[in-house]
Amino acid sequence: MNASSKVPIGQLVNFIGGGTPSRQNADYYGGSIPWVTPKDMKRWDITDAQVRITEQGLQNSAARMAPEGAVLVVVRSGVLKHTLPVGIAKVPVAINQDMKALICSPDINSDYLAHYIKYKSPEILGWVRATTADNFPVDKLKHLKIPLPALKEQQRIAEILDEADALRAARRSTIQTLDSLEESAFVEYFGNPERNPGEWPLENLATVLQIPLRNGLSPSSTGMIEGRVLTLSAITGRAFNQGSTKAAKFNETPSKNHLVDARDFLICRGNGNLDLVGRGAFPSESMPDTTFPDTAIAARVRPDKLLPSFMQRIWHSRLVRRQIEVSARTTNGTFKVNQGALEKIEIVIPPLERQEAFSRYAVHLSEVRQVQQEQLSELEALFEALRDRAFRGEL
């Protein structure tokens, strides 16, 4: 077939599903067979799983073995709200019912297929049905057509994309190392906040605020005033993401108190994921043309009590997270915290001199991290461009 030929994926691979051995039989678990579920699909190369099953568990359930080289795809999971996990089995694995394994015929390269399915993520995620568990019709994936150049050309494309992806992975690893260094430095300077070895005072958030907590302003579908609004992904990651904004319309002109200000620690007040509720970040700079939404709460702390670098780190410590999770209330599947609950959060207040010493180190790491993040963004753009050209036959 020539490079312009497109063939339905179902004609090139064999789809197999999986299952779950009975949890009531201990003999089915703790064996040597990796049992892959959506929780394991956080990397490209799948070499193991959080849970292993026995041969007995495999034989007495709907779990199926996928051979080395099979393309693994999550077809049912809440993660499909935003992400399509795809990977390659680098060893034989069993899979559960939320997965499909695609076993390739001799006409298609498994890495090439996996890259193509990932490339088509936006289209595939558009098929997702929000039922008891988010899922998409597997038949649609079978009918999805894939460009099918010669096998040697498929291998060449897959190798180029693998190399570009490895560069991205290396940069992410560097960023993770920098995050680990800051965490280690925090413990060195302050110890475990829950134990408070320095016996420093504990104060409620309300007592260290410059001005009262305040909610943001959410857009309106009937609004006439155009602007931009921060999305929650800007403040729920490891660092503030300045690019997480979108165009919006408001019923009223956002006041100064509703604009993104570098002095404000912005806190997520509601999310379907309990781990993200109460997460927060200081903006890397003020954004006078961007509003923070009503789903976020701004906390401006006194600089004579808490420095931003310390506040950022202590807020994500187990000491604070435990208090947030206890105070969170759930409504229709969404966990929420309000201003009153946040004002009662107790925070360790170390001497300012010690905070300043930590801050100098943290700021240095942050500057290095920013450079690495910018380089990662460039590599992400390069990868997307390469992949787009590859599947348009232009690489």
Side-chain angles (χ1 to χ4, degrees):
M1 297 180 181
N2 59 48
S4 62
S5 298
K6 288 191 174 183
V7 180
I9 288 175
Q11 294 183 16
L12 299 166
V13 307
N14 179 33
F15 282 70
I16 66 170
T20 299
S22 173
R23 295 285 190 180
Q24 297 178 354
N25 193 327
D27 292 337
Y28 292 169
Y29 291 89
S32 60
I33 302 171
W35 181 60
V36 177
T37 74
K39 293 180 180 180
D40 302 300
M41 296 291 290
K42 296 176 181 177
R43 54 179 59 87
W44 188 255
D45 293 337
I46 306 300
T47 58
D48 206 347
Q50 296 180 29
V51 176
R52 290 187 166 212
I53 61 174
T54 63
E55 185 66 33
Q56 186 180 359
L58 179 67
Q59 296 301 325
N60 290 280
S61 72
R64 298 278 300 280
M65 288 297 297
E68 179 181 351
V71 177
L72 305 180
V73 182
V74 174
V75 298
R76 186 175 69 171
S77 171
V79 74
L80 294 175
K81 285 183 174 66
H82 52 78
T83 304
L84 176 67
V86 179
I88 304 283
K90 293 300 181 180
V91 297
V93 299
I95 59 174
N96 83 339
Q97 64 273 14
D98 299 328
M99 309 279 303
K100 291 294 181 186
L102 283 58
I103 303 173
C104 296
S105 72
D107 295 322
I108 188 163
N109 177 274
S110 59
D111 288 275
Y112 175 83
L113 173 62
H115 279 297
Y116 184 74
I117 292 174
K118 194 67 177 175
Y119 171 67
K120 299 296 284 187
S121 288
E123 179 178 343
I124 296 170
L125 292 176
W127 306 338
V128 173
R129 304 169 295 198
T131 56
T132 303
D134 295 299
N135 66 91
F136 64 83
V138 175
D139 280 347
K140 285 196 172 186
L141 184 57
K142 292 180 179 179
H143 290 117
L144 182 67
K145 291 185 176 182
I146 181 172
L148 198 68
L151 192 59
K152 187 174 181 179
E153 177 65 6
Q154 295 177 40
Q155 293 170 339
R156 184 185 76 87
I157 290 171
E159 287 172 359
I160 291 173
L161 295 178
D162 284 344
E163 289 176 5
D165 194 37
L167 292 175
R168 295 193 303 173
R171 198 64 63 203
R172 290 192 196 102
S173 178
T174 299
I175 292 171
Q176 289 174 355
T177 298
L178 291 170
D179 290 338
S180 296
L181 285 173
E182 182 176 330
E183 187 172 345
S184 297
F186 182 87
V187 174
E188 182 178 340
Y189 277 94
F190 308 108
N192 183 336
E194 288 190 288
R195 297 176 182 172
N196 191 14
E199 298 183 348
W200 296 309
L202 280 170
E203 294 191 32
N204 293 330
L205 178 63
T207 67
V208 296
L209 293 173
Q210 269 190 299
I211 58 178
L213 295 175
R214 62 196 191 281
N215 288 11
L217 179 67
S218 287
S220 169
S221 58
T222 61
M224 300 296 291
I225 299 172
E226 296 186 350
R228 297 199 68 79
V229 66
L230 207 65
T231 64
L232 287 181
S233 59
I235 59 175
T236 53
R238 291 298 297 264
F240 184 78
N241 185 349
Q242 191 169 351
S244 293
T245 67
K246 63 181 181 181
K249 292 185 177 181
F250 301 92
N251 286 330
E252 58 186 85
T253 301
S255 70
K256 184 178 180 180
N257 280 340
H258 289 139
L259 300 179
V260 175
D261 190 312
R263 295 172 295 175
D264 291 329
F265 187 70
L266 299 178
I267 303 167
C268 170
R269 74 178 184 91
N271 199 283
N273 184 345
L274 179 60
D275 187 57
L276 297 182
V277 176
R279 295 287 177 183
F282 281 101
S284 47
E285 60 182 28
S286 295
M287 301 166 67
D289 61 342
T290 303
T291 302
F292 66 94
D294 184 60
T295 49
I297 295 174
R300 186 172 300 179
V301 296
R302 290 167 48 187
D304 63 326
K305 285 284 190 177
L306 294 170
L307 297 183
S309 294
F310 176 78
M311 175 66 179
Q312 180 84 36
R313 182 58 64 177
I314 191 70
W315 192 259
H316 294 124
S317 70
R318 191 58 204 156
L319 170 68
V320 173
R321 285 303 308 166
R322 176 174 48 78
Q323 297 176 71
I324 289 174
E325 290 172 10
V326 167
S327 63
R329 297 293 178 263
T330 179
T331 304
N332 298 324
T334 300
F335 295 94
K336 295 180 180 180
V337 289
N338 57 33
Q339 293 186 17
L342 292 178
E343 287 175 342
K344 296 175 183 176
I345 297 294
E346 289 189 328
I347 302 174
V348 174
I349 311 293
L352 206 59
E353 300 77 24
R354 189 173 288 261
Q355 292 187 47
E356 288 171 344
F358 170 73
S359 181
R360 286 191 291 271
Y361 182 72
V363 167
H364 171 68
L365 288 180
S366 178
E367 291 171 350
V368 176
R369 191 186 193 283
Q370 180 62 31
V371 172
Q372 296 295 318
Q373 189 63 53
E374 290 172 357
Q375 293 177 354
L376 175 60
S377 296
E378 292 174 0
L379 290 171
E380 297 278 12
L382 172 63
F383 180 82
E384 294 298 332
L386 284 172
R387 190 168 62 177
D388 188 55
R389 290 179 57 193
F391 294 121
R392 286 192 284 111
E394 300 174 0
L395 188 59

